[in-house]
Amino acid sequence: SSGINAEYGEQHLEETKMIMEARLQRVKEQCVTKSQYLKRAQDFLFVFPGSGMAWCPTFKAGSTNWKQFFCKQYEPEIYYKYQRLGPPRGPYCPLGDLFKYHYAPKSKPELAPAAAAAFKFLTVRHPYQRLISVYTNKFKNCESDMFTDTAMLSIFQIYRAVKLPTSQKAEFLEAARLECHKPVSERIIDPENPYMNPMGATFQEMIQYVVGNFHSRKFPDFHWVPITRGCDMCITEYNLIEKFETMERDHHFLLTTLGQISKYPDIAGAHSNQSGAGMTIEKMIKYFSQLNERLLWDLQAIYKDDMALFGYNPVFRVKKNPYNNEM
């Protein structure tokens, strides 16, 4: 449209191209200097034959936008089925319904030619913003039964030493859900837990749960897995790295590069939850000031490669290992 063209003219596109090239160059340089850890990532690449595109999703970094975009293009029946459904099943197409496009070289060799020729991209975001988005979207706003059930029970039993017999677990979760889905104005707010009702996890408790997930050596939940463990940045040759912070501009540049700018309204108009809206440094400080040095140290170690490859500032840098002070 004329509005889009006016905002993103040729000079703007040329400037964006230079930014994109610098992002890729930074990744190449970091892959040379960083440890072999970076070369042991799993690559969750989704290949869409005919579109010329291959995408590695990053949860809590605008993945819903691309998920909806590809679902509508390639699985319209599924897409419109979910459009007709109300919460909690709709209206958003789950990534699982696109798994036939997940490229696994051994089990899906038929996708190899399309994968080799595809324009490969991903969207990245500051790791700490992703964590705040997980909390506000999944815990604070209680939008996911998965987190209300599985994580909530673990958090209460591990970090609050609340031992619930099996017979009381269902009752506890039902009470949590009822309280969760009340309007904020009707919730009983706990002064020690200002971001949620007393039945819910605090931000610090969620971070303890996340850190514990990594210490267990299991593959982390996709909502907080480091991007460098889900997308193989040092083996797969990506053509473009979008940033959540400049997502609208980057969407436009990507589709212009592929000669598919007519599809811009589809991706620009795709659903994007509001948990990341208005994310400022002040908001990050508000949440992360609740964490002690040990948790900040752990997060710094977990996400250090994401910070390095994509040029993000840790913000809450801890220079000395706080665990040593306990000796």
Side-chain angles (χ1 to χ4, degrees):
S1 73
S2 58
I4 292 172
N5 293 333
E7 186 174 356
Y8 300 106
E10 287 187 15
Q11 181 179 349
H12 193 284
L13 289 172
E14 192 60 34
E15 292 172 354
T16 304
K17 181 181 178 182
M18 293 174 65
I19 292 171
M20 296 299 181
E21 290 173 348
R23 289 177 185 174
L24 293 173
Q25 183 60 33
R26 182 186 182 94
V27 167
K28 287 181 181 178
E29 292 172 358
Q30 291 293 324
C31 284
V32 170
T33 59
K34 289 292 174 183
S35 67
Q36 291 297 309
Y37 167 79
L38 283 173
K39 298 182 180 179
R40 295 200 299 271
Q42 298 187 43
D43 208 20
F44 293 97
L45 195 65
F46 285 71
V47 178
F48 298 94
S51 72
M53 302 165 88
W55 167 61
C56 187
T58 301
F59 283 38
K60 312 314 298 175
S63 61
T64 299
N65 291 58
W66 283 112
K67 185 173 59 178
Q68 292 294 92
F69 177 83
F70 287 121
C71 190
K72 185 177 181 181
Q73 301 283 328
Y74 285 85
E75 300 292 339
E77 290 187 11
I78 293 174
Y79 174 82
Y80 287 108
K81 178 190 76 173
Y82 281 104
Q83 289 294 305
R84 292 190 294 270
L85 293 175
R89 295 296 300 157
Y92 313 120
C93 182
L95 190 62
D97 284 325
L98 293 175
F99 228 75
K100 68 174 71 173
Y101 303 103
H102 175 236
Y103 176 51
K106 293 183 179 179
S107 61
K108 297 180 183 175
E110 69 277 8
L111 287 177
F119 185 94
K120 303 173 187 66
F121 74 98
L122 73 158
T123 307
V124 303
R125 186 181 188 182
H126 195 296
Y128 294 172
Q129 288 190 8
R130 287 179 63 205
L131 290 172
I132 293 173
S133 181
V134 171
Y135 181 70
T136 56
N137 182 229
K138 301 298 184 181
F139 288 87
K140 180 184 173 185
N141 296 338
C142 311
E143 292 188 9
S144 170
D145 284 345
M146 175 180 72
F147 285 94
T148 304
D149 292 358
T150 312
M152 200 77 81
L153 269 178
S154 296
I155 286 171
F156 272 69
Q157 294 188 119
I158 297 172
Y159 303 114
R160 294 194 188 177
V162 176
K163 304 301 180 185
L164 292 170
T166 304
S167 59
Q168 293 181 16
K169 287 181 180 179
E171 183 181 340
F172 169 82
L173 289 173
E174 183 59 27
R177 272 194 290 268
L178 287 173
E179 186 69 20
C180 248
H181 291 104
K182 288 181 181 178
V184 175
S185 59
E186 296 179 13
R187 293 180 188 171
I188 304 170
I189 303 298
D190 183 347
E192 299 301 317
N193 186 4
Y195 300 100
M196 178 52 180
N197 60 72
M199 297 299 292
T202 64
F203 181 67
Q204 177 174 310
E205 288 170 335
M206 189 206 78
I207 295 300
Q208 287 177 292
Y209 183 74
V210 169
V211 169
N213 187 189
F214 282 94
H215 286 172
S216 71
R217 298 189 179 279
K218 296 178 182 178
F219 192 84
D221 187 284
F222 280 106
H223 289 84
W224 53 72
V225 65
I227 299 167
T228 45
R229 287 192 66 182
C231 302
D232 195 342
M233 301 306 301
C234 295
I235 300 297
T236 301
E237 292 189 17
Y238 282 90
N239 302 97
L240 186 138
I241 300 169
E242 291 190 317
K243 284 198 170 184
F244 183 87
E245 295 82 358
T246 52
M247 190 162 59
E248 183 179 335
R249 181 200 67 189
D250 295 356
H251 284 345
H252 184 272
F253 180 81
L254 188 158
L255 293 175
T256 299
T257 301
L258 293 174
Q260 300 184 34
I261 193 58
S262 62
K263 295 179 180 177
Y264 181 80
D266 286 331
I267 183 61
H271 163 77
S272 178
N273 73 62
Q274 296 301 305
S275 58
M279 188 72 74
T280 62
I281 187 65
E282 289 77 18
K283 187 172 185 178
M284 288 178 67
I285 292 172
K286 182 179 180 181
Y287 279 96
F288 277 79
S289 62
Q290 302 174 51
L291 307 183
N292 59 39
E293 282 199 339
R294 285 173 294 170
L295 287 174
L296 290 173
W297 176 267
D298 287 331
L299 291 177
Q300 192 171 282
I302 289 167
Y303 294 106
K304 63 181 174 59
D305 291 322
D306 278 17
M307 301 283 191
L309 262 71
F310 307 122
Y312 287 119
N313 185 342
V315 184
F316 309 95
R317 192 184 302 276
V318 180
K319 295 183 179 180
K320 293 184 179 181
N321 185 344
Y323 291 98
N324 293 339
N325 298 331
E326 300 174 2
M327 301 298 288

